[in-house]
mmCIF file of all heavy atoms in Angstrom:
data_model
loop_
_atom_site.group_PDB
_atom_site.id
_atom_site.type_symbol
_atom_site.label_atom_id
_atom_site.label_comp_id
_atom_site.label_asym_id
_atom_site.label_seq_id
_atom_site.Cartn_x
_atom_site.Cartn_y
_atom_site.Cartn_z
ATOM 1 N N CYS A 57 -23.754 -143.234 -25.086
ATOM 2 C CA CYS A 57 -24.557 -144.455 -24.991
ATOM 3 C C CYS A 57 -24.804 -144.873 -26.444
ATOM 4 O O CYS A 57 -25.880 -144.617 -26.999
ATOM 5 C CB CYS A 57 -25.856 -144.188 -24.254
ATOM 6 S SG CYS A 57 -25.579 -143.651 -22.571
ATOM 7 N N HIS A 58 -23.769 -145.456 -27.053
ATOM 8 C CA HIS A 58 -23.776 -145.595 -28.508
ATOM 9 C C HIS A 58 -24.890 -146.499 -29.026
ATOM 10 O O HIS A 58 -25.358 -146.324 -30.140
ATOM 11 C CB HIS A 58 -22.408 -146.088 -28.995
ATOM 12 C CG HIS A 58 -21.321 -145.114 -28.655
ATOM 13 N ND1 HIS A 58 -21.292 -143.828 -29.146
ATOM 14 C CD2 HIS A 58 -20.254 -145.208 -27.824
ATOM 15 C CE1 HIS A 58 -20.251 -143.185 -28.655
ATOM 16 N NE2 HIS A 58 -19.608 -144.001 -27.847
ATOM 17 N N SER A 59 -25.316 -147.467 -28.207
ATOM 18 C CA SER A 59 -26.364 -148.371 -28.707
ATOM 19 C C SER A 59 -27.711 -147.649 -28.795
ATOM 20 O O SER A 59 -28.644 -148.151 -29.419
ATOM 21 C CB SER A 59 -26.478 -149.627 -27.833
ATOM 22 O OG SER A 59 -26.875 -149.291 -26.525
ATOM 23 N N HIS A 60 -27.830 -146.468 -28.169
ATOM 24 C CA HIS A 60 -29.098 -145.733 -28.214
ATOM 25 C C HIS A 60 -28.910 -144.277 -28.635
ATOM 26 O O HIS A 60 -29.682 -143.413 -28.247
ATOM 27 C CB HIS A 60 -29.842 -145.865 -26.878
ATOM 28 C CG HIS A 60 -30.369 -147.256 -26.690
ATOM 29 N ND1 HIS A 60 -29.566 -148.307 -26.290
ATOM 30 C CD2 HIS A 60 -31.586 -147.789 -26.925
ATOM 31 C CE1 HIS A 60 -30.277 -149.413 -26.263
ATOM 32 N NE2 HIS A 60 -31.515 -149.148 -26.631
ATOM 33 N N GLY A 61 -27.900 -144.040 -29.469
ATOM 34 C CA GLY A 61 -27.688 -142.711 -30.030
ATOM 35 C C GLY A 61 -28.033 -142.704 -31.509
ATOM 36 O O GLY A 61 -29.071 -143.253 -31.929
ATOM 37 N N VAL A 62 -27.128 -142.148 -32.316
ATOM 38 C CA VAL A 62 -27.360 -142.011 -33.765
ATOM 39 C C VAL A 62 -27.702 -143.356 -34.426
ATOM 40 O O VAL A 62 -28.516 -143.427 -35.356
ATOM 41 C CB VAL A 62 -26.101 -141.387 -34.417
ATOM 42 C CG1 VAL A 62 -26.152 -141.488 -35.925
ATOM 43 C CG2 VAL A 62 -25.977 -139.933 -33.988
ATOM 44 N N PHE A 63 -27.081 -144.425 -33.924
ATOM 45 C CA PHE A 63 -27.321 -145.775 -34.454
ATOM 46 C C PHE A 63 -28.821 -146.104 -34.524
ATOM 47 O O PHE A 63 -29.288 -146.796 -35.433
ATOM 48 C CB PHE A 63 -26.581 -146.758 -33.536
ATOM 49 C CG PHE A 63 -26.835 -148.205 -33.812
ATOM 50 C CD1 PHE A 63 -26.564 -148.761 -35.046
ATOM 51 C CD2 PHE A 63 -27.328 -149.031 -32.808
ATOM 52 C CE1 PHE A 63 -26.792 -150.107 -35.283
ATOM 53 C CE2 PHE A 63 -27.558 -150.370 -33.032
ATOM 54 C CZ PHE A 63 -27.292 -150.909 -34.273
ATOM 55 N N ARG A 64 -29.584 -145.569 -33.548
ATOM 56 C CA ARG A 64 -31.031 -145.884 -33.499
ATOM 57 C C ARG A 64 -31.796 -145.340 -34.705
ATOM 58 O O ARG A 64 -32.902 -145.802 -34.985
ATOM 59 C CB ARG A 64 -31.646 -145.315 -32.223
ATOM 60 C CG ARG A 64 -31.350 -146.122 -31.007
ATOM 61 C CD ARG A 64 -32.103 -147.429 -30.974
ATOM 62 N NE ARG A 64 -31.267 -148.440 -30.366
ATOM 63 C CZ ARG A 64 -31.577 -149.734 -30.296
ATOM 64 N NH1 ARG A 64 -32.718 -150.179 -30.787
ATOM 65 N NH2 ARG A 64 -30.758 -150.589 -29.755
ATOM 66 N N LEU A 65 -31.207 -144.348 -35.394
ATOM 67 C CA LEU A 65 -31.910 -143.822 -36.579
ATOM 68 C C LEU A 65 -32.126 -144.920 -37.614
ATOM 69 O O LEU A 65 -33.103 -144.906 -38.362
ATOM 70 C CB LEU A 65 -31.108 -142.666 -37.205
ATOM 71 C CG LEU A 65 -31.154 -141.334 -36.449
ATOM 72 C CD1 LEU A 65 -30.141 -140.347 -37.030
ATOM 73 C CD2 LEU A 65 -32.570 -140.748 -36.484
ATOM 74 N N LEU A 66 -31.202 -145.891 -37.647
ATOM 75 C CA LEU A 66 -31.328 -146.962 -38.646
ATOM 76 C C LEU A 66 -32.585 -147.791 -38.378
ATOM 77 O O LEU A 66 -33.355 -148.104 -39.294
ATOM 78 C CB LEU A 66 -30.084 -147.871 -38.634
ATOM 79 C CG LEU A 66 -28.719 -147.182 -38.838
ATOM 80 C CD1 LEU A 66 -27.604 -148.216 -38.836
ATOM 81 C CD2 LEU A 66 -28.699 -146.392 -40.139
ATOM 82 N N MET A 67 -32.775 -148.156 -37.101
ATOM 83 C CA MET A 67 -33.953 -148.987 -36.759
ATOM 84 C C MET A 67 -35.247 -148.190 -36.832
ATOM 85 O O MET A 67 -36.282 -148.678 -37.271
ATOM 86 C CB MET A 67 -33.851 -149.531 -35.339
ATOM 87 C CG MET A 67 -32.900 -150.651 -35.180
ATOM 88 S SD MET A 67 -31.305 -149.968 -34.846
ATOM 89 C CE MET A 67 -30.526 -151.414 -34.164
ATOM 90 N N CYS A 68 -35.141 -146.962 -36.351
ATOM 91 C CA CYS A 68 -36.325 -146.109 -36.291
ATOM 92 C C CYS A 68 -36.884 -145.897 -37.713
ATOM 93 O O CYS A 68 -38.095 -146.015 -37.945
ATOM 94 C CB CYS A 68 -35.819 -144.821 -35.666
ATOM 95 S SG CYS A 68 -36.988 -143.596 -35.399
ATOM 96 N N THR A 69 -36.008 -145.625 -38.666
ATOM 97 C CA THR A 69 -36.485 -145.375 -40.036
ATOM 98 C C THR A 69 -36.948 -146.674 -40.695
ATOM 99 O O THR A 69 -37.852 -146.646 -41.527
ATOM 100 C CB THR A 69 -35.386 -144.713 -40.895
ATOM 101 O OG1 THR A 69 -34.190 -145.471 -40.763
ATOM 102 C CG2 THR A 69 -35.136 -143.285 -40.467
ATOM 103 N N ARG A 70 -36.333 -147.802 -40.299
ATOM 104 C CA ARG A 70 -36.820 -149.068 -40.851
ATOM 105 C C ARG A 70 -38.279 -149.273 -40.440
ATOM 106 O O ARG A 70 -39.129 -149.672 -41.242
ATOM 107 C CB ARG A 70 -35.950 -150.243 -40.365
ATOM 108 C CG ARG A 70 -36.314 -151.565 -41.043
ATOM 109 C CD ARG A 70 -35.289 -152.624 -40.813
ATOM 110 N NE ARG A 70 -35.208 -153.010 -39.418
ATOM 111 C CZ ARG A 70 -34.131 -153.501 -38.825
ATOM 112 N NH1 ARG A 70 -33.024 -153.668 -39.483
ATOM 113 N NH2 ARG A 70 -34.146 -153.838 -37.562
ATOM 114 N N SER A 71 -38.590 -148.959 -39.186
ATOM 115 C CA SER A 71 -39.984 -149.107 -38.726
ATOM 116 C C SER A 71 -40.900 -148.124 -39.431
ATOM 117 O O SER A 71 -42.058 -148.437 -39.712
ATOM 118 C CB SER A 71 -40.071 -148.876 -37.217
ATOM 119 O OG SER A 71 -39.359 -149.881 -36.568
ATOM 120 N N LEU A 72 -40.391 -146.926 -39.735
ATOM 121 C CA LEU A 72 -41.222 -145.956 -40.470
ATOM 122 C C LEU A 72 -41.499 -146.478 -41.883
ATOM 123 O O LEU A 72 -42.622 -146.381 -42.384
ATOM 124 C CB LEU A 72 -40.526 -144.597 -40.522
ATOM 125 C CG LEU A 72 -40.495 -143.849 -39.179
ATOM 126 C CD1 LEU A 72 -39.553 -142.655 -39.232
ATOM 127 C CD2 LEU A 72 -41.895 -143.399 -38.794
ATOM 128 N N ARG A 73 -40.464 -147.059 -42.492
ATOM 129 C CA ARG A 73 -40.656 -147.589 -43.863
ATOM 130 C C ARG A 73 -41.661 -148.739 -43.872
ATOM 131 O O ARG A 73 -42.417 -148.903 -44.818
ATOM 132 C CB ARG A 73 -39.314 -148.058 -44.445
ATOM 133 C CG ARG A 73 -38.457 -146.925 -44.995
ATOM 134 C CD ARG A 73 -37.364 -147.469 -45.896
ATOM 135 N NE ARG A 73 -36.550 -148.467 -45.237
ATOM 136 C CZ ARG A 73 -35.430 -148.197 -44.560
ATOM 137 N NH1 ARG A 73 -34.987 -146.969 -44.453
ATOM 138 N NH2 ARG A 73 -34.747 -149.168 -43.997
ATOM 139 N N ASP A 74 -41.652 -149.549 -42.783
ATOM 140 C CA ASP A 74 -42.613 -150.669 -42.698
ATOM 141 C C ASP A 74 -44.052 -150.177 -42.670
ATOM 142 O O ASP A 74 -44.985 -150.947 -42.905
ATOM 143 C CB ASP A 74 -42.403 -151.474 -41.404
ATOM 144 C CG ASP A 74 -41.166 -152.331 -41.469
ATOM 145 O OD1 ASP A 74 -40.613 -152.469 -42.567
ATOM 146 O OD2 ASP A 74 -40.750 -152.831 -40.400
ATOM 147 N N GLY A 75 -44.225 -148.905 -42.284
ATOM 148 C CA GLY A 75 -45.560 -148.318 -42.299
ATOM 149 C C GLY A 75 -46.401 -148.653 -41.075
ATOM 150 O O GLY A 75 -47.596 -148.378 -41.049
ATOM 151 N N LYS A 76 -45.774 -149.263 -40.038
ATOM 152 C CA LYS A 76 -46.587 -149.615 -38.864
ATOM 153 C C LYS A 76 -46.719 -148.445 -37.900
ATOM 154 O O LYS A 76 -47.712 -148.307 -37.198
ATOM 155 C CB LYS A 76 -45.949 -150.796 -38.137
ATOM 156 C CG LYS A 76 -46.125 -152.115 -38.896
ATOM 157 C CD LYS A 76 -45.674 -153.288 -38.077
ATOM 158 C CE LYS A 76 -45.947 -154.583 -38.810
ATOM 159 N NZ LYS A 76 -45.075 -155.672 -38.406
#
Side-chain angles (χ1 to χ4, degrees):
C57 298
H58 298 298
S59 63
H60 289 79
V62 168
F63 173 58
R64 283 288 145 187
L65 285 170
L66 304 181
M67 284 88 162
C68 182
T69 50
R70 187 167 66 207
S71 295
L72 288 168
R73 280 196 305 269
D74 286 348
K76 287 188 176 155

